[in-house]
Each structure stands twice: as structure tokens, then as C-alpha cells.
Amino acid sequence: MTATGTSCEITCPECGTITAVGGGRAASDFCPSCDYPLFWAQPSRATRPAAAETDGALNRAPGASGTTVASVIACPECAEQNLASASTCVRCGSELHPAPPPEPEPPPAPAPVVLNPPAQIVQCDHWPTWLVVLISSVVTTFVTAGVVIAVFLIWG
């Protein structure tokens, strides 16, 4: 930022275009390339104006980034630098010291787990499996042998 009469040359922080800016908030105080509000731009190096021009105030409005940097705090919403004693942002009006978010509700208690009793062994009244298999195989053997003998007798 360099002083040239009543206006200043500011390098746009968004696109890098150098633009002459006046002291107010006129339409010419916006970047012609990207429309960034140059009256919010921080100077790259501070220039101290003459004592007659300052009127005793060294900070620009809005915010606190002027030719001297006092204790500042950045807005959590728009990142504008504000005086540390401010409670709301001069740019967007949001709270600079917002209350902490409420604690989340605890998750609901899990449903109780119902344990089923172990299965009971029921005694059956049928024959043991091994006995059924044995009888089946003996019957199958005799039936097969009888069929083979009958075939040899008929054709033999």
C-alpha cells in the first residue's frame, strides 16, 4: 500500500491486481478484476500518515487492521480482524466469542440382552440309527442276492 495524494495503491489479496483506492467506500474501492472489497484489505507494509490527516485515529473501520495493529481477534465466520475487546464482528455482526456448542446427548442405553436357557436333550423312543442302518444293509444284500439267483435260474 503506497500513498499517492488522497488515494492509496493496494494489491488485491485475492487476485494480485494493484488498484488505487480512495479513503471511503465508493464503487472504486473494489478490485476491478475480482470485486474484492479493497477497504478490507490489509496493507503489506504500514505507512504512517501525517499527524494532520490522522485525527488521532490510527485504525481503519471496519475491524482493526489499519496502520497499527492493536490486539486483534479474527472473526470465526468471516475472518475479519476485530479489536480483542469487541464482542461482535464489525463486518458481519456475528459473535466473536460464541458460547461452546451444547454437549451431545448421550446415546440411549442398549436394550437388555435376553439369554435363552440351554436346549434340553429329549429322549426319543425310536430305534438307534446304527441298528436301522445295519438292518437296511442286510435286507438290501439279501434282496440283491435273490434277484441275481433268480436271473441265473431263468436264463441259465
Side-chain angles (χ1 to χ4, degrees):
M1 175 176 191
T2 60
T4 59
T6 59
S7 65
C8 300
E9 286 185 359
I10 295 181
T11 303
C12 177
E14 293 290 319
C15 66
T17 304
I18 297 174
T19 307
V21 176
R25 291 190 178 190
S28 64
D29 292 341
F30 289 85
C31 177
S33 299
C34 67
D35 205 31
Y36 184 83
L38 295 176
F39 47 83
W40 283 332
Q42 279 190 326
S44 57
R45 62 181 176 91
T47 59
R48 189 165 190 90
E53 296 177 12
T54 63
D55 242 2
L58 295 177
N59 291 334
R60 63 144 178 100
S65 60
T67 57
T68 62
V69 178
S71 176
V72 293
I73 184 171
C75 175
E77 297 295 324
C78 68
E80 173 69 25
Q81 293 184 355
N82 294 275
L83 292 174
S85 60
S87 61
T88 59
C89 178
V90 295
R91 182 178 185 189
C92 67
S94 65
E95 288 288 323
L96 293 177
H97 308 285
E103 292 190 24
E105 294 183 20
V113 177
V114 178
L115 297 175
N116 293 331
Q120 296 178 359
I121 298 175
V122 178
Q123 294 295 331
C124 298
D125 292 336
H126 61 77
W127 292 355
T129 305
W130 67 269
L131 184 61
V132 172
V133 170
L134 178 67
I135 292 173
S136 298
S137 58
V138 169
V139 169
T140 303
T141 304
F142 282 122
V143 169
T144 304
V147 169
V148 169
I149 292 173
V151 167
F152 280 130
L153 290 177
I154 292 174
W155 287 335

